[in-house]
Amino acid sequence: MRAVRLSVVTAVATAAALTSVTACTQKSGADSGDQVIGVTATDDSCEVSKKEFPAGHIELAVENKGSKVTEVYLLFPDDRIVAERENIGPGIKQKVVAEVKAGDYVIACKPGMKGKGIRQDVKATGGSAARRNPKLDQAVAAYRQYVQEQADETLPLVETFAKAVKAGDVEAAKKAYAPSRLGWERTEPVAESFGDIDPKVDLREADLEPGQKWTGWHRLEKALWKNGKIGPEEKTLADRLVTDLEDWQQRVGTAEITPTSMANGAKELLDEVATGKVTGEEEFFSHTDLVDFKGNVEGAEKAYELLEPVARKNDPALAEELDKQFAALDALLDKYRADKADKASYAFVSYDKVGEDDRKELSDAVNALAEPLSKLAAAVVK
Protein backbone atom coordinates (compact mmCIF):
# COMPACT_ATOMS: atom_id res chain seq x y z
CA MET A 1 0.00 0.00 0.00
CA ARG A 2 1.30 3.40 -0.83
CA ALA A 3 2.96 5.25 2.02
CA VAL A 4 0.87 7.83 3.85
CA ARG A 5 2.57 11.17 4.41
CA LEU A 6 3.88 11.66 7.91
CA SER A 7 1.74 14.73 8.51
CA VAL A 8 -1.18 12.42 9.20
CA VAL A 9 -3.94 13.07 11.67
CA THR A 10 -2.46 12.54 15.11
CA ALA A 11 -5.29 10.30 16.23
CA VAL A 12 -4.51 7.90 13.41
CA ALA A 13 -0.72 7.97 13.67
CA THR A 14 -0.71 7.25 17.39
CA ALA A 15 -3.83 5.13 17.73
CA ALA A 16 -3.96 2.58 20.47
CA ALA A 17 -3.69 -1.07 19.60
CA LEU A 18 -6.43 -2.34 17.32
CA THR A 19 -6.99 -5.92 16.26
CA SER A 20 -7.06 -6.75 12.55
CA VAL A 21 -8.69 -10.09 11.85
CA THR A 22 -8.74 -11.74 8.46
CA ALA A 23 -10.90 -14.68 8.14
CA CYS A 24 -13.36 -16.88 9.93
CA THR A 25 -16.39 -17.13 12.14
CA GLN A 26 -14.73 -18.93 15.02
CA LYS A 27 -12.91 -17.18 17.81
CA SER A 28 -9.25 -16.64 17.15
CA GLY A 29 -6.96 -19.54 17.90
CA ALA A 30 -4.09 -17.12 18.20
CA ASP A 31 -4.45 -17.06 21.97
CA SER A 32 -2.10 -20.05 22.20
CA GLY A 33 1.55 -19.09 22.51
CA ASP A 34 2.76 -21.05 19.50
CA GLN A 35 0.57 -18.93 17.23
CA VAL A 36 1.67 -15.56 18.58
CA ILE A 37 4.59 -14.09 16.63
CA GLY A 38 6.34 -11.14 18.20
CA VAL A 39 7.42 -8.49 15.71
CA THR A 40 9.84 -5.84 16.98
CA ALA A 41 10.31 -2.97 14.55
CA THR A 42 13.06 -0.35 14.77
CA ASP A 43 14.38 2.19 12.30
CA ASP A 44 16.74 -0.39 10.80
CA SER A 45 15.48 -3.84 11.81
CA CYS A 46 12.44 -6.12 11.83
CA GLU A 47 12.86 -8.96 14.30
CA VAL A 48 10.39 -11.84 14.61
CA SER A 49 10.14 -14.16 17.60
CA LYS A 50 9.65 -17.27 15.44
CA LYS A 51 9.88 -18.09 11.76
CA GLU A 52 7.66 -21.16 11.78
CA PHE A 53 4.19 -21.51 13.28
CA PRO A 54 0.98 -23.56 12.86
CA ALA A 55 -1.44 -22.57 10.12
CA GLY A 56 -4.79 -21.18 11.16
CA HIS A 57 -5.29 -18.05 13.20
CA ILE A 58 -2.05 -16.27 14.07
CA GLU A 59 -1.36 -13.05 15.89
CA LEU A 60 1.42 -10.61 15.08
CA ALA A 61 2.22 -8.85 18.35
CA VAL A 62 3.89 -5.72 17.00
CA GLU A 63 5.96 -3.19 18.91
CA ASN A 64 7.62 -0.18 17.31
CA LYS A 65 10.82 0.53 19.20
CA GLY A 66 12.10 2.91 16.56
CA SER A 67 11.85 6.68 16.20
CA LYS A 68 9.83 6.61 12.96
CA VAL A 69 6.20 5.80 12.23
CA THR A 70 6.19 2.32 10.70
CA GLU A 71 3.99 -0.20 8.92
CA VAL A 72 3.93 -3.98 9.32
CA TYR A 73 2.71 -6.37 6.64
CA LEU A 74 2.09 -10.10 6.40
CA LEU A 75 2.58 -10.90 2.72
CA PHE A 76 2.43 -13.77 0.32
CA PRO A 77 5.82 -14.33 -1.38
CA ASP A 78 4.55 -12.45 -4.46
CA ASP A 79 3.81 -9.37 -2.30
CA ARG A 80 0.04 -9.76 -2.17
CA ILE A 81 -1.16 -8.54 1.20
CA VAL A 82 -2.59 -10.99 3.73
CA ALA A 83 -2.85 -8.51 6.61
CA GLU A 84 -1.37 -5.15 7.48
CA ARG A 85 -1.22 -2.36 10.01
CA GLU A 86 -0.19 1.18 9.05
CA ASN A 87 0.73 4.26 11.06
CA ILE A 88 2.30 2.53 14.06
CA GLY A 89 3.89 5.36 16.00
CA PRO A 90 7.10 5.13 18.06
CA GLY A 91 6.52 3.23 21.28
CA ILE A 92 3.16 1.87 20.11
CA LYS A 93 2.13 -1.78 20.41
CA GLN A 94 -0.51 -3.27 18.12
CA LYS A 95 -1.96 -6.66 17.26
CA VAL A 96 -2.63 -7.98 13.79
CA VAL A 97 -4.59 -11.24 13.71
CA ALA A 98 -4.80 -13.17 10.44
CA GLU A 99 -5.89 -16.58 9.21
CA VAL A 100 -3.22 -18.27 7.11
CA LYS A 101 -3.05 -21.54 5.24
CA ALA A 102 0.09 -23.66 5.24
CA GLY A 103 2.81 -22.13 3.11
CA ASP A 104 5.51 -19.50 2.85
CA TYR A 105 4.97 -15.88 3.87
CA VAL A 106 6.91 -12.68 4.47
CA ILE A 107 6.70 -10.30 7.42
CA ALA A 108 7.82 -6.79 6.44
CA CYS A 109 8.39 -3.67 8.55
CA LYS A 110 8.51 -0.31 6.79
CA PRO A 111 10.16 2.35 8.98
CA GLY A 112 9.11 5.77 7.72
CA MET A 113 6.41 3.96 5.70
CA LYS A 114 8.63 3.94 2.62
CA GLY A 115 10.03 1.34 0.26
CA LYS A 116 9.69 -2.45 0.31
CA GLY A 117 10.59 -2.67 3.97
CA ILE A 118 12.86 -4.85 6.09
CA ARG A 119 11.76 -8.45 5.52
CA GLN A 120 11.72 -11.79 7.26
CA ASP A 121 10.74 -15.06 5.56
CA VAL A 122 8.35 -17.14 7.67
CA LYS A 123 6.38 -20.37 7.20
CA ALA A 124 2.99 -21.67 8.31
CA THR A 125 2.83 -25.42 8.73
CA GLY A 126 0.00 -27.93 8.98
CA GLY A 127 -3.58 -27.13 8.07
CA SER A 128 -6.38 -24.81 9.16
CA ALA A 129 -9.62 -26.14 10.65
CA ALA A 130 -11.40 -22.79 10.45
CA ARG A 131 -14.96 -22.85 9.16
CA ARG A 132 -17.14 -19.98 8.04
CA ASN A 133 -20.77 -19.02 8.56
CA PRO A 134 -22.59 -19.48 5.20
CA LYS A 135 -23.99 -15.96 5.54
CA LEU A 136 -20.44 -14.64 5.49
CA ASP A 137 -19.71 -16.67 2.36
CA GLN A 138 -22.67 -14.89 0.78
CA ALA A 139 -21.27 -11.54 1.91
CA VAL A 140 -17.89 -12.33 0.35
CA ALA A 141 -19.52 -13.36 -2.94
CA ALA A 142 -21.60 -10.18 -3.04
CA TYR A 143 -18.61 -8.02 -2.20
CA ARG A 144 -16.48 -9.71 -4.85
CA GLN A 145 -19.19 -8.91 -7.39
CA TYR A 146 -19.30 -5.29 -6.15
CA VAL A 147 -15.54 -4.89 -6.49
CA GLN A 148 -15.59 -6.30 -10.02
CA GLU A 149 -18.48 -4.01 -10.99
CA GLN A 150 -16.57 -0.99 -9.70
CA ALA A 151 -13.55 -1.93 -11.80
CA ASP A 152 -15.69 -2.59 -14.87
CA GLU A 153 -17.49 0.74 -14.49
CA THR A 154 -14.26 2.64 -13.90
CA LEU A 155 -12.64 1.75 -17.22
CA PRO A 156 -15.01 3.75 -19.49
CA LEU A 157 -14.67 6.76 -17.19
CA VAL A 158 -10.88 6.52 -17.30
CA GLU A 159 -10.97 6.18 -21.07
CA THR A 160 -13.05 9.37 -21.26
CA PHE A 161 -10.48 11.14 -19.07
CA ALA A 162 -7.57 9.81 -21.13
CA LYS A 163 -9.27 10.78 -24.39
CA ALA A 164 -9.58 14.39 -23.20
CA VAL A 165 -5.93 14.44 -22.11
CA LYS A 166 -4.76 13.07 -25.45
CA ALA A 167 -6.91 15.64 -27.27
CA GLY A 168 -5.19 18.40 -25.30
CA ASP A 169 -8.54 19.53 -23.91
CA VAL A 170 -7.64 20.74 -20.40
CA GLU A 171 -11.15 21.67 -19.32
CA ALA A 172 -12.69 18.40 -20.49
CA ALA A 173 -9.94 16.47 -18.76
CA LYS A 174 -10.53 18.38 -15.52
CA LYS A 175 -14.23 17.58 -15.69
CA ALA A 176 -13.56 13.86 -16.25
CA TYR A 177 -10.81 13.52 -13.64
CA ALA A 178 -12.71 13.09 -10.34
CA PRO A 179 -15.45 10.77 -11.71
CA SER A 180 -12.77 8.49 -13.13
CA ARG A 181 -11.43 7.86 -9.62
CA LEU A 182 -14.63 6.92 -7.78
CA GLY A 183 -14.59 3.16 -8.39
CA TRP A 184 -10.97 2.97 -7.32
CA GLU A 185 -11.63 4.96 -4.15
CA ARG A 186 -14.59 2.76 -3.21
CA THR A 187 -12.51 -0.42 -3.40
CA GLU A 188 -9.01 0.86 -2.67
CA PRO A 189 -7.97 -1.78 -0.09
CA VAL A 190 -8.64 -4.57 -2.58
CA ALA A 191 -6.85 -2.69 -5.35
CA GLU A 192 -3.89 -2.02 -3.08
CA SER A 193 -3.67 -5.66 -1.98
CA PHE A 194 -1.86 -6.53 -5.21
CA GLY A 195 1.03 -4.28 -4.24
CA ASP A 196 2.25 -3.27 -7.69
CA ILE A 197 -0.77 -1.52 -9.23
CA ASP A 198 -1.36 1.25 -6.70
CA PRO A 199 2.09 2.91 -7.09
CA LYS A 200 1.53 3.08 -10.85
CA VAL A 201 -1.86 4.76 -10.75
CA ASP A 202 -2.43 6.53 -7.42
CA LEU A 203 0.93 7.72 -6.09
CA ARG A 204 1.18 11.30 -4.85
CA GLU A 205 4.21 13.42 -5.59
CA ALA A 206 5.15 13.55 -1.89
CA ASP A 207 5.31 9.74 -1.75
CA LEU A 208 7.82 9.28 -4.58
CA GLU A 209 10.97 7.31 -3.79
CA PRO A 210 14.30 8.71 -5.07
CA GLY A 211 14.55 7.98 -8.77
CA GLN A 212 10.99 6.67 -9.03
CA LYS A 213 9.09 7.65 -12.16
CA TRP A 214 5.82 9.38 -11.39
CA THR A 215 2.82 8.04 -13.30
CA GLY A 216 -0.91 7.83 -12.80
CA TRP A 217 -3.79 10.09 -11.89
CA HIS A 218 -1.94 12.54 -9.66
CA ARG A 219 0.84 13.16 -12.19
CA LEU A 220 -1.84 14.19 -14.67
CA GLU A 221 -3.70 16.13 -11.99
CA LYS A 222 -0.65 18.33 -11.48
CA ALA A 223 -0.28 18.95 -15.21
CA LEU A 224 -3.92 19.98 -15.53
CA TRP A 225 -4.36 22.17 -12.47
CA LYS A 226 -0.91 23.54 -11.71
CA ASN A 227 0.65 23.72 -15.14
CA GLY A 228 -2.58 24.17 -17.09
CA LYS A 229 -1.23 22.41 -20.15
CA ILE A 230 -0.87 18.99 -21.68
CA GLY A 231 2.30 17.89 -23.44
CA PRO A 232 3.44 14.73 -25.21
CA GLU A 233 4.49 13.09 -21.95
CA GLU A 234 1.05 13.59 -20.39
CA LYS A 235 -0.61 12.04 -23.45
CA THR A 236 1.62 8.99 -23.13
CA LEU A 237 0.87 8.78 -19.41
CA ALA A 238 -2.86 8.89 -20.13
CA ASP A 239 -2.54 5.76 -22.25
CA ARG A 240 -0.47 4.11 -19.55
CA LEU A 241 -3.11 4.91 -16.93
CA VAL A 242 -5.72 3.09 -19.01
CA THR A 243 -3.39 0.11 -19.47
CA ASP A 244 -2.58 -0.12 -15.76
CA LEU A 245 -6.25 0.06 -14.80
CA GLU A 246 -7.13 -2.59 -17.36
CA ASP A 247 -4.62 -4.77 -15.50
CA TRP A 248 -6.46 -3.97 -12.25
CA GLN A 249 -9.80 -4.81 -13.87
CA GLN A 250 -8.50 -8.20 -15.02
CA ARG A 251 -6.85 -9.10 -11.72
CA VAL A 252 -9.41 -7.86 -9.22
CA GLY A 253 -11.36 -11.11 -9.45
CA THR A 254 -8.36 -13.01 -8.09
CA ALA A 255 -8.05 -10.90 -4.91
CA GLU A 256 -7.96 -12.64 -1.53
CA ILE A 257 -11.24 -11.57 0.11
CA THR A 258 -12.56 -12.81 3.45
CA PRO A 259 -15.28 -11.46 5.75
CA THR A 260 -12.77 -9.88 8.07
CA SER A 261 -10.60 -8.51 5.28
CA MET A 262 -13.79 -6.76 4.13
CA ALA A 263 -14.27 -5.36 7.64
CA ASN A 264 -10.66 -4.31 7.99
CA GLY A 265 -10.74 -2.83 4.49
CA ALA A 266 -13.68 -0.66 5.55
CA LYS A 267 -11.57 0.65 8.42
CA GLU A 268 -8.65 1.24 6.04
CA LEU A 269 -10.93 3.35 3.84
CA LEU A 270 -11.70 5.58 6.83
CA ASP A 271 -7.96 5.82 7.52
CA GLU A 272 -7.49 6.90 3.90
CA VAL A 273 -9.99 9.69 4.51
CA ALA A 274 -8.32 10.76 7.76
CA THR A 275 -4.78 10.77 6.42
CA GLY A 276 -5.34 12.16 2.93
CA LYS A 277 -8.74 13.61 2.18
CA VAL A 278 -9.45 15.52 5.40
CA THR A 279 -5.97 17.03 5.31
CA GLY A 280 -6.29 18.04 1.65
CA GLU A 281 -3.14 16.16 0.70
CA GLU A 282 -4.72 13.61 -1.65
CA GLU A 283 -5.95 16.01 -4.33
CA PHE A 284 -3.34 18.67 -3.68
CA PHE A 285 -3.76 20.42 -7.03
CA SER A 286 -7.38 19.80 -8.05
CA HIS A 287 -8.97 20.10 -4.57
CA THR A 288 -11.47 17.40 -5.50
CA ASP A 289 -10.85 15.67 -2.15
CA LEU A 290 -14.53 15.52 -1.20
CA VAL A 291 -15.31 13.32 -4.21
CA ASP A 292 -12.64 10.85 -3.08
CA PHE A 293 -13.90 11.25 0.50
CA LYS A 294 -17.41 10.23 -0.59
CA GLY A 295 -16.07 7.27 -2.56
CA ASN A 296 -14.09 5.97 0.43
CA VAL A 297 -17.13 6.27 2.71
CA GLU A 298 -19.39 4.54 0.19
CA GLY A 299 -16.95 1.66 -0.11
CA ALA A 300 -16.73 1.26 3.65
CA GLU A 301 -20.51 1.43 3.95
CA LYS A 302 -20.95 -1.26 1.28
CA ALA A 303 -18.67 -3.67 3.14
CA TYR A 304 -20.54 -2.98 6.37
CA GLU A 305 -23.94 -3.38 4.68
CA LEU A 306 -22.98 -6.89 3.51
CA LEU A 307 -21.56 -7.91 6.89
CA GLU A 308 -24.27 -6.19 8.94
CA PRO A 309 -26.65 -9.16 9.41
CA VAL A 310 -23.95 -11.24 11.13
CA ALA A 311 -22.45 -8.29 12.96
CA ARG A 312 -25.87 -7.24 14.28
CA LYS A 313 -26.61 -10.74 15.57
CA ASN A 314 -23.22 -10.97 17.29
CA ASP A 315 -22.97 -7.38 18.55
CA PRO A 316 -26.25 -5.42 18.30
CA ALA A 317 -24.86 -2.37 20.10
CA LEU A 318 -21.97 -2.09 17.64
CA ALA A 319 -24.31 -2.32 14.68
CA GLU A 320 -26.50 0.41 16.13
CA GLU A 321 -23.48 2.66 16.65
CA LEU A 322 -22.22 2.03 13.11
CA ASP A 323 -25.66 2.84 11.68
CA LYS A 324 -25.66 6.08 13.65
CA GLN A 325 -22.14 7.17 12.69
CA PHE A 326 -22.46 6.30 8.99
CA ALA A 327 -25.69 8.32 8.85
CA ALA A 328 -24.05 11.27 10.61
CA LEU A 329 -21.05 11.29 8.27
CA ASP A 330 -23.24 10.97 5.16
CA ALA A 331 -25.38 13.88 6.35
CA LEU A 332 -22.31 16.00 7.01
CA LEU A 333 -20.93 15.31 3.54
CA ASP A 334 -24.25 16.36 2.04
CA LYS A 335 -23.57 19.89 3.35
CA TYR A 336 -20.72 20.18 0.85
CA ARG A 337 -22.58 19.15 -2.30
CA ALA A 338 -22.52 21.76 -5.03
CA ASP A 339 -26.27 21.17 -5.40
CA LYS A 340 -27.56 20.24 -1.95
CA ALA A 341 -30.88 19.08 -3.38
CA ASP A 342 -29.20 16.51 -5.63
CA LYS A 343 -28.13 13.66 -3.35
CA ALA A 344 -27.14 11.51 -6.34
CA SER A 345 -24.60 14.01 -7.63
CA TYR A 346 -20.87 13.73 -7.03
CA ALA A 347 -20.29 17.44 -7.52
CA PHE A 348 -18.83 18.80 -4.30
CA VAL A 349 -17.36 22.16 -3.38
CA SER A 350 -13.66 22.65 -3.97
CA TYR A 351 -11.83 21.55 -0.84
CA ASP A 352 -9.70 24.68 -0.70
CA LYS A 353 -12.95 26.50 0.08
CA VAL A 354 -13.52 24.39 3.20
CA GLY A 355 -12.28 26.23 6.28
CA GLU A 356 -10.28 24.85 9.19
CA ASP A 357 -13.27 24.63 11.52
CA ASP A 358 -15.24 22.69 8.92
CA ARG A 359 -12.28 20.39 8.27
CA LYS A 360 -12.08 19.75 12.00
CA GLU A 361 -15.79 18.85 12.02
CA LEU A 362 -15.22 16.41 9.14
CA SER A 363 -12.22 14.92 10.91
CA ASP A 364 -14.19 14.43 14.12
CA ALA A 365 -16.98 12.68 12.22
CA VAL A 366 -14.50 10.36 10.50
CA ASN A 367 -12.86 9.47 13.82
CA ALA A 368 -16.27 8.90 15.42
CA LEU A 369 -17.02 6.31 12.73
CA ALA A 370 -13.52 4.82 12.56
CA GLU A 371 -13.48 3.83 16.23
CA PRO A 372 -16.52 1.48 16.13
CA LEU A 373 -15.63 0.38 12.60
CA SER A 374 -12.33 -0.95 13.95
CA LYS A 375 -14.42 -3.46 15.96
CA LEU A 376 -16.39 -4.81 12.98
CA ALA A 377 -13.89 -7.55 12.13
CA ALA A 378 -14.04 -8.93 15.65
CA ALA A 379 -17.83 -8.81 15.61
CA VAL A 380 -18.15 -11.01 12.53
CA VAL A 381 -15.94 -13.75 14.03
CA LYS A 382 -17.65 -14.01 17.42
Side-chain angles (χ1 to χ4, degrees):
M1 185 175 290
R2 66 182 163 83
V4 180
R5 290 184 62 183
L6 297 182
S7 56
V8 296
V9 176
T10 301
V12 175
T14 61
L18 298 174
T19 299
S20 169
V21 191
T22 60
C24 108
T25 60
Q26 297 180 338
K27 290 185 179 180
S28 169
D31 296 334
S32 58
D34 61 348
Q35 291 183 294
V36 177
I37 301 97
V39 181
T40 303
T42 71
D43 294 346
D44 55 13
S45 68
C46 184
E47 299 297 329
V48 298
S49 62
K50 62 189 69 172
K51 294 194 175 183
E52 192 168 301
F53 41 81
H57 287 106
I58 65 167
E59 176 186 300
L60 303 184
V62 181
E63 182 174 6
N64 183 4
K65 291 187 175 182
S67 63
K68 300 176 181 178
V69 176
T70 195
E71 301 171 341
V72 172
Y73 292 81
L74 177 64
L75 305 166
F76 290 107
D78 62 2
D79 274 7
R80 286 177 298 130
I81 297 171
V82 180
E84 64 180 304
R85 177 66 74 235
E86 297 184 332
N87 299 310
I88 305 172
I92 297 297
K93 296 180 180 180
Q94 295 198 3
K95 295 179 181 179
V96 185
V97 179
E99 184 188 0
V100 296
K101 299 176 182 178
D104 295 327
Y105 296 88
V106 175
I107 293 174
C109 307
K110 294 187 181 182
M113 303 191 295
K114 293 285 188 178
K116 293 180 68 67
I118 304 163
R119 298 182 165 217
Q120 296 278 8
D121 293 329
V122 296
K123 179 186 290 289
T125 60
S128 172
R131 293 184 298 172
R132 184 181 297 157
N133 183 328
K135 290 184 179 180
L136 293 178
D137 283 330
Q138 294 169 12
V140 169
Y143 187 68
R144 189 178 294 281
Q145 180 180 353
Y146 171 74
V147 170
Q148 187 66 62
E149 288 172 350
Q150 292 303 308
D152 293 344
E153 292 169 7
T154 292
L155 259 295
L157 298 173
V158 172
E159 288 166 351
T160 297
F161 172 60
K163 182 178 179 181
V165 172
K166 291 193 293 180
D169 190 334
V170 172
E171 292 308 312
K174 285 183 175 181
K175 184 177 180 180
Y177 172 76
S180 77
R181 292 176 50 74
L182 265 169
W184 175 273
E185 293 294 333
R186 290 176 181 134
T187 61
E188 198 163 1
V190 175
E192 290 177 339
S193 71
F194 296 109
D196 61 331
I197 298 177
D198 181 79
K200 297 176 184 178
V201 304
D202 199 30
L203 199 68
R204 295 175 295 184
E205 187 173 25
D207 297 324
L208 289 169
E209 302 283 352
Q212 183 177 9
K213 182 174 176 58
W214 191 18
T215 61
W217 271 301
H218 294 303
R219 166 66 178 80
L220 295 169
E221 176 203 5
K222 182 177 181 179
L224 293 169
W225 272 272
K226 182 176 181 180
N227 302 330
K229 59 182 181 181
I230 299 168
E233 182 178 4
E234 284 75 29
K235 294 178 181 181
T236 298
L237 289 175
D239 278 332
R240 177 169 175 177
L241 178 63
V242 173
T243 298
D244 289 336
L245 289 170
E246 286 174 341
D247 183 28
W248 164 55
Q249 179 194 29
Q250 294 300 313
R251 291 166 63 185
V252 74
T254 69
E256 294 283 336
I257 299 176
T258 67
T260 46
S261 75
M262 289 167 56
N264 293 325
K267 173 60 166 60
E268 289 169 31
L269 285 169
L270 266 290
D271 289 346
E272 287 281 339
V273 173
T275 59
K277 283 70 174 183
V278 168
T279 62
E281 296 174 84
E282 180 76 10
E283 304 293 355
F284 187 77
F285 304 102
S286 66
H287 305 300
T288 56
D289 302 88
L290 288 171
V291 181
D292 289 1
F293 192 136
K294 182 63 173 176
N296 286 157
V297 173
E298 285 182 339
E301 198 161 9
K302 182 64 176 182
Y304 167 60
E305 171 192 317
L306 295 172
L307 295 170
E308 182 269 342
V310 173
R312 187 173 298 277
K313 179 179 178 181
N314 292 342
D315 193 337
L318 177 65
E320 289 297 322
E321 182 65 13
L322 286 169
D323 289 344
K324 173 185 173 182
Q325 296 302 338
F326 268 118
L329 184 54
D330 285 336
L332 184 57
L333 278 171
D334 285 343
K335 289 173 50 178
Y336 298 96
R337 292 184 184 276
D339 181 354
K340 293 181 176 58
D342 186 0
K343 298 296 178 67
S345 171
Y346 287 92
F348 288 86
V349 301
S350 181
Y351 200 59
D352 58 337
K353 306 300 183 185
V354 178
E356 289 302 315
D357 289 344
D358 289 330
R359 292 189 184 198
K360 175 64 164 54
E361 184 182 26
L362 286 166
S363 178
D364 289 345
V366 169
N367 290 333
L369 172 58
E371 193 279 327
L373 197 58
S374 70
K375 301 174 183 177
L376 179 59
V380 300
V381 300
K382 280 186 176 180

